Amino acid sequence: MAVCYHTDRAGHAGRQWDGGPGMPNRQGTHGAADIGGPGEAAPVTTGQQLERRSWAEPWKIKMVEPLRMTTREQRQEALSGAGHNTFLLRSEDVYIDLLTDSGTNAMSDRQWAALMMGDEAYAGSRNFYELEAAVREVYGFERMVPTHQGRGAEHLLSQCAIKKGQLVPGNMYFTTTREHQERAGGIFVDVICDAAHDPDNLDPFKGNVDLAKLEEVISRQGPEQVAYLSLAATVNMAGGQPVSMDNLRQVRELCRRVGVPIYLDATRLVENAFFIKEREAGYQDRSVAEIVREFCSFTDGAWMSAKKDSLVNIGGWLAVNDEQLFEEIRNLVIVFEGLHTYGGLAGRDLGAMAQGIRESVEDDHIRSRVGQVRYLGELLLGQGIPLVQPIGGHGIFLDARRFYPHLGQEQFPAQTLAAELYLESGIRGMERGIVSAGRDPVTGEHHRPRLELTRLAIPRRVYTQAHMDVVAEAVEAVYARRGEAKGLLMTYEPRYLRFFQARFQPI
Ligand code: PLI
């Protein structure tokens, strides 16, 4: 495989990505150790164009939204009022909002123009056909139904494709995905490779399915007891880690042999495709758009939260190749979302999504998107902050276990870190550890994930490099007084997806 890491000036092995053959050094990101480093690396020539060490966003800013700075006293009050859960803060009390990259993207002028061109007919809106064409062209699926967001699609797929008691193997759980699978009577089984559970493992494709685990699940109860393989690319809870094309091909072969379909969570597939282009032999000269198409061709369908890759504030879709299953979905969407040509969205939302899908696969866009995430990650690594490596596609995942080694998992270290960061700086991140993992539906015990992470998700096209510098400084300040953190006690635990609404108090 065409991968290699190099050692930076500070001697941190694996800190920066060298790219495969023909790719520019570090994808042009400015690592902490190489910002403006004169004479360090000459421009590198790729197949088509002269690449420079520095990159810039392929857009300029036309409209701005003021940010509000708060005092520590104000933040203390806001945090107590929110039960130390960053989901319960008011956004006006937040300075830099890294809670999520979902629905928080900045739309382009073309997308805003598409909003104005919304066809708000109840049935057969022109924008539906635009969306259908964009999904067909970019993802390669002939038929789809729009949904109001990703979980709407997860609900429909789970209800239509899972029979009670069937297993649903997946490459790590995602909160809403597993919730819908379990509500439909499915039993989620994790078949991701072991490397995914280790924040320090530098494997370039930590999202890969472990074929032996998948084979074991299929042979344990027979393929008819397996609803489908639930494949996410990238894998959110592992830190935005990609799946390789080679792995998918092998998974495809296995699933085809036993007749188990593969349904893809394509929410961040464009970011995954960028990593394939960068890291997997044979893909350096392929466009991200081509890689996305090829990836989808090895699956039987996909669902999408367009609030991520597709650069909109709301929207999703579900596509499956099986005609009978599609008929069922196209019928059921009316019950839960809306008519099959609007799926719970306004015509203007469909139009903005169609435009966003096309923009999302432009190479320059995705390069700067992942580049900005990596810029922040490299700054933090330069300060010795523990985080998931390799740096993923949509955010930085701080390793709260190593950040607060004196706290046990039942003291909610990742939740504590999110609260402390907000208190320090007004920057909002999110817990991705034991709270997010929830409880086993059968035993009622906490799921205890090995990864106990605080995520700083970067919205697309929203913040500048200077904001990233401020974030790095704030994390450094929290790290400097890490010994003082005492952890949290959960005082209110909702039944479903508890991390959204749970409340805590300091120990
Ligand atoms: O938030 P939705 O309902 O549009 O999408 C659900 C969803 C499905 N799959 C994946 C991989 C997601 O990341 C996802 C939502 N993620 C959120 C909200 C996040 O903050 O990561």
Side-chain angles (χ1 to χ4, degrees):
M1 184 165 296
V3 293
C4 77
Y5 287 87
H6 79 148
T7 304
D8 71 4
R9 284 195 218 144
H12 297 109
R15 271 201 44 207
Q16 290 164 328
W17 182 257
D18 235 340
M23 294 301 287
N25 257 4
R26 295 168 217 116
Q27 280 298 292
T29 58
H30 317 260
D34 64 326
I35 301 166
E40 196 199 53
V44 180
T45 315
T46 66
Q48 284 107 36
Q49 68 196 62
L50 188 68
E51 297 280 359
R52 298 199 180 280
R53 191 175 71 246
S54 299
W55 52 264
E57 290 78 5
W59 37 260
K60 57 185 177 175
I61 298 167
K62 177 138 67 178
M63 189 185 285
V64 297
E65 178 182 342
L67 293 176
R68 176 167 170 255
M69 310 271 285
T70 47
T71 63
R72 193 178 181 89
E73 289 67 38
Q74 287 169 329
R75 292 194 292 277
Q76 183 65 69
E77 198 182 324
L79 192 62
S80 303
H84 289 255
N85 184 349
T86 50
F87 274 102
L88 301 179
L89 290 166
R90 288 174 181 233
S91 91
E92 62 188 9
D93 293 330
V94 174
Y95 172 38
I96 298 176
D97 202 347
L98 307 185
L99 182 73
T100 177
D101 61 324
S102 177
T104 52
N105 305 305
M107 293 205 297
S108 68
D109 52 0
R110 273 82 177 157
Q111 287 178 287
W112 281 100
L115 284 189
M116 297 305 293
M117 298 292 285
D119 171 1
E120 305 306 339
Y122 187 93
S125 161
R126 185 184 63 249
N127 308 114
F128 166 76
Y129 298 101
E130 287 167 6
L131 176 64
E132 191 181 49
V135 170
R136 191 176 290 146
E137 197 177 302
V138 172
Y139 293 95
F141 296 111
E142 279 302 310
R143 296 173 291 260
M144 61 91 216
V145 291
T147 59
H148 78 281
Q149 59 183 91
R151 70 199 69 178
E154 288 170 342
H155 177 214
L156 296 175
L157 181 66
S158 302
Q159 291 298 320
C160 296
I162 300 173
K163 292 194 197 82
K164 200 168 161 35
Q166 275 187 320
L167 305 179
V168 190
N171 57 342
M172 200 172 265
Y173 85 99
F174 183 70
T175 54
T176 58
T177 316
R178 189 181 61 193
E179 178 72 27
H180 280 296
Q181 291 165 350
E182 288 175 350
R183 292 173 80 82
I187 300 161
F188 173 81
V189 192
D190 192 2
V191 294
I192 203 167
C193 62
D194 289 343
H197 297 281
D198 176 0
D200 297 322
N201 189 312
L202 296 177
D203 190 304
F205 289 106
K206 284 164 75 170
N208 279 356
V209 171
D210 182 321
L211 282 135
K213 288 185 195 172
L214 178 60
E215 206 153 10
E216 194 279 322
V217 171
I218 294 170
S219 59
R220 197 194 310 164
Q221 302 206 1
E224 63 289 343
Q225 270 303 99
V226 178
Y228 55 87
L229 173 69
S230 179
L231 183 79
T234 60
V235 180
N236 190 351
M237 302 303 275
Q241 303 296 324
V243 175
S244 72
M245 195 74 84
D246 183 50
N247 182 251
L248 176 58
R249 263 196 224 101
Q250 293 182 52
V251 165
R252 177 70 182 158
E253 188 46 39
L254 169 61
C255 288
R256 201 186 45 75
R257 214 168 356 104
V258 295
V260 170
I262 300 172
Y263 294 122
L264 170 70
D265 181 344
T267 295
R268 297 186 182 85
L269 177 58
V270 180
E271 289 166 10
N272 196 103
F274 176 78
F275 287 125
I276 289 176
K277 179 177 169 71
E278 188 183 53
R279 300 175 182 178
E280 193 164 352
Y283 286 93
Q284 279 70 51
D285 295 325
R286 305 278 297 279
S287 69
V288 164
E290 286 170 333
I291 297 170
V292 165
R293 271 296 285 259
E294 182 179 337
F295 202 92
C296 290
S297 74
F298 296 125
T299 72
D300 298 286
W303 75 92
M304 183 75 187
S305 169
K307 300 170 73 172
K308 284 80 166 176
D309 266 356
S310 306
L311 299 162
V312 285
N313 304 121
I314 194 73
W317 49 263
L318 172 60
V320 294
N321 294 337
D322 184 289
E323 275 183 34
Q324 227 179 325
L325 179 61
F326 184 73
E327 272 312 302
E328 179 67 12
I329 287 168
R330 203 170 77 123
N331 193 188
L332 200 64
V333 71
I334 303 172
V335 179
F336 292 107
E337 302 281 315
L339 192 71
H340 58 277
T341 58
Y342 76 83
L345 297 166
R348 53 181 170 269
D349 299 326
L350 303 172
M353 192 174 4
Q355 175 64 25
I357 287 172
R358 294 184 198 283
E359 290 177 15
S360 74
V361 289
E362 287 170 8
D363 283 357
D364 284 349
H365 155 71
I366 191 63
R367 180 172 186 252
S368 83
R369 190 283 184 279
V370 176
Q372 186 182 43
V373 174
R374 200 172 287 168
Y375 173 78
L376 174 59
E378 287 174 355
L379 281 181
L380 293 170
L381 285 168
Q383 296 162 358
I385 309 287
L387 49 85
V388 174
Q389 292 190 72
I391 295 160
H394 65 296
I396 299 306
F397 290 68
L398 302 173
D399 183 356
R401 282 186 195 271
R402 279 204 290 142
F403 208 101
Y404 294 138
H406 58 290
L407 297 183
Q409 201 169 18
E410 46 303 312
Q411 290 159 314
F412 307 117
Q415 189 78 36
T416 302
L417 178 48
E420 289 292 321
L421 181 63
Y422 173 73
L423 192 58
E424 172 67 33
S425 60
I427 294 164
R428 166 156 76 167
M430 179 202 290
E431 195 265 9
R432 297 274 77 160
I434 187 170
V435 184
S436 295
R439 291 180 185 272
D440 185 302
V442 178
T443 65
E445 293 296 316
H446 288 296
H447 285 296
R448 290 176 181 277
R450 219 173 121 196
L451 295 173
E452 179 69 26
L453 309 172
T454 304
R455 186 184 74 176
L456 307 177
I458 317 289
R460 295 162 190 78
R461 308 193 292 204
V462 171
Y463 292 113
T464 66
Q465 196 153 313
H467 288 115
M468 297 301 110
D469 292 341
V470 170
V471 173
E473 217 176 282
V475 174
E476 187 180 17
V478 176
Y479 194 56
R481 50 178 185 73
R482 59 193 179 279
E484 298 164 25
K486 302 213 169 32
L488 293 167
L489 189 71
M490 201 190 300
T491 55
Y492 167 64
E493 181 179 352
R495 206 153 132 211
Y496 312 114
L497 300 171
R498 64 184 182 179
F499 59 97
F500 282 121
Q501 294 162 327
R503 299 184 72 86
F504 303 83
Q505 68 186 35
I507 291 175

